[in-house]
Amino acid sequence: MKALITLTLMLSLLNSHATEEYQAWKEARLSALQQPHGWLSLVAMEWLYSGKNTLGSAEDNDIQLNHGPDYIGHFTLKSDKSVYFTPVPGVDIQANGQAVDETIQVFADLEEPETTVFNVDSYEFYVIERHKKAVRIKDSQAETRLNFKGLDYYPEQKSYRVWADFMPYQPAKIIQTVNVLGQLYDEPSPGRLEFELMGQNFSIDAFDGGDSYYLVFGDKTNGRTTYGPGRFLYSDGLVNEQGKVLLDFNKAYNPPCAFTAYSTCTLPPLQNRLNIAIEAGEKKYGDSTY
């Protein structure tokens, strides 16, 4: 009897810890979205064209902002695909925390060294590489941020916290993915995760998430109670000594495209579309039709 009581207490403590950790994860998720220049502040993605691309709130700019200085400066896209930025004299603009008062070279998000991030007025903007180069613009005064409707989740359920077998690909398997713009990318997958959920066997190809695995998946709730194109999930750490990876579908969350039309989210590859309704994690945002 004493052993049974001890086991019950241990399980209770484990479940309590999982709940506390899950609440902390939800709070961190909400905080990140609501940052002044988080995903809710994304207001534009403007492709750069060869030569001069002017930026500011005046109507004659190539990239027109909703407010702020009439003329901020211009990006120059050269024939070798390098990018430079030249500020308008007297404009108060910074790049990576340093004042910009002359022409500088600009590095995109997938380039080395670090991405060049500009700040002016309530804006943050930087160049991204999506087969071609564009300027991604965030505004802390964006209506999508100021009028944020909050996040809605399914109730936490421990049945959606499962251990998966990690089946490594050696070498890494190249998976062709597509984003919401219809652009194709080759992404390396370090391995496949095989698991049982609701009495059924499933597998998902994982991507490299640094200190965890990054999953892009779809299920039968998509378009009904969850975001139509699919959701994202990071595993709880990497594969352990037993060859197992912990997946907590309570932490499935919406990609940025659920909140803004200016993101470039990856869509789930066909093999990651699961024939089951995963009623866990983040639900459809607000009154979205997707």
Side-chain angles (χ1 to χ4, degrees):
M1 177 64 73
K2 184 177 180 180
L4 180 60
I5 293 174
T6 302
L7 178 59
T8 301
L9 179 59
M10 288 176 63
L11 290 174
S12 177
L13 290 173
L14 285 172
N15 288 333
S16 175
H17 173 75
T19 297
E20 290 176 5
E21 192 273 337
Y22 177 58
Q23 291 301 321
W25 175 85
K26 288 203 299 184
E27 291 171 8
R29 160 80 173 147
L30 183 61
S31 176
L33 273 178
Q34 293 181 305
Q35 291 297 309
H37 294 121
W39 286 115
L40 293 174
S41 70
L42 185 57
V43 294
M45 189 191 77
E46 299 283 350
W47 297 113
L48 291 177
Y49 296 93
S50 295
K52 188 175 179 179
N53 300 259
T54 59
L55 173 73
S57 63
E59 291 184 3
D60 58 345
N61 282 290
D62 298 308
I63 301 173
Q64 186 182 4
L65 304 177
N66 288 333
H67 62 86
D70 289 341
Y71 301 98
I72 293 173
H74 66 267
F75 289 96
T76 302
L77 177 61
K78 298 201 169 184
S79 58
D80 63 358
K81 305 304 179 185
S82 63
V83 179
Y84 292 81
F85 179 79
T86 303
V88 168
V91 70
D92 183 15
I93 184 171
Q94 294 187 339
N96 294 345
Q98 301 295 318
V100 181
D101 54 15
E102 61 183 3
T103 299
I104 63 170
Q105 186 170 2
V106 176
F107 297 97
D109 62 339
L110 302 181
E111 296 177 336
E112 297 290 345
E114 67 176 322
T115 306
T116 307
V117 179
F118 294 90
N119 290 96
V120 59
D121 196 64
S122 60
Y123 291 101
E124 175 182 282
F125 54 90
Y126 49 93
V127 175
I128 63 173
E129 174 72 52
R130 299 296 183 271
H131 290 320
K132 52 185 180 177
K133 289 180 175 173
V135 180
R136 174 172 280 171
I137 302 171
K138 297 180 178 181
D139 181 9
S140 61
Q141 299 304 306
E143 293 207 5
T144 45
R145 177 174 180 263
L146 299 181
N147 299 321
F148 178 53
K149 299 178 176 64
L151 300 175
D152 188 21
Y153 292 87
Y154 285 101
E156 182 187 12
Q157 301 172 73
K158 63 181 180 180
S159 59
Y160 282 107
R161 192 175 295 114
V162 299
W163 286 99
D165 292 312
F166 182 70
M167 312 301 291
Y169 292 129
Q170 296 176 338
K173 177 183 177 182
I174 301 302
I175 297 174
Q176 190 172 72
T177 63
V178 61
N179 65 19
V180 294
L181 301 179
Q183 297 173 320
L184 298 175
Y185 289 87
D186 287 338
E187 298 286 352
S189 170
R192 184 176 71 255
L193 297 173
E194 297 182 347
F195 57 95
E196 182 180 317
L197 189 61
M198 302 302 175
Q200 300 182 59
N201 294 320
F202 299 97
S203 69
I204 290 181
D205 278 330
F207 299 114
D208 184 1
D211 59 358
S212 61
Y213 300 110
Y214 169 54
L215 310 181
V216 183
F217 75 96
D219 70 272
K220 285 189 171 182
T221 66
N222 297 158
R224 296 179 173 88
T225 55
T226 64
Y227 181 59
R231 290 181 289 173
F232 294 170
L233 175 67
Y234 281 91
S235 65
D236 284 17
L238 296 171
V239 58
N240 64 18
E241 293 180 354
Q242 291 73 44
K244 301 285 189 179
V245 177
L246 182 59
L247 300 179
D248 187 353
F249 285 97
N250 293 291
K251 296 178 182 176
Y253 66 96
N254 289 331
C257 294
F259 309 101
T260 174
Y262 303 106
S263 188
T264 57
C265 309
T266 300
L267 299 176
L270 183 62
Q271 67 271 28
N272 285 7
R273 299 179 184 275
L274 307 180
N275 188 30
I276 188 177
I278 298 184
E279 297 179 325
E282 197 172 308
K283 292 184 174 182
K284 186 184 296 188
Y285 174 62
D287 54 2
S288 170
T289 58
Y290 299 106

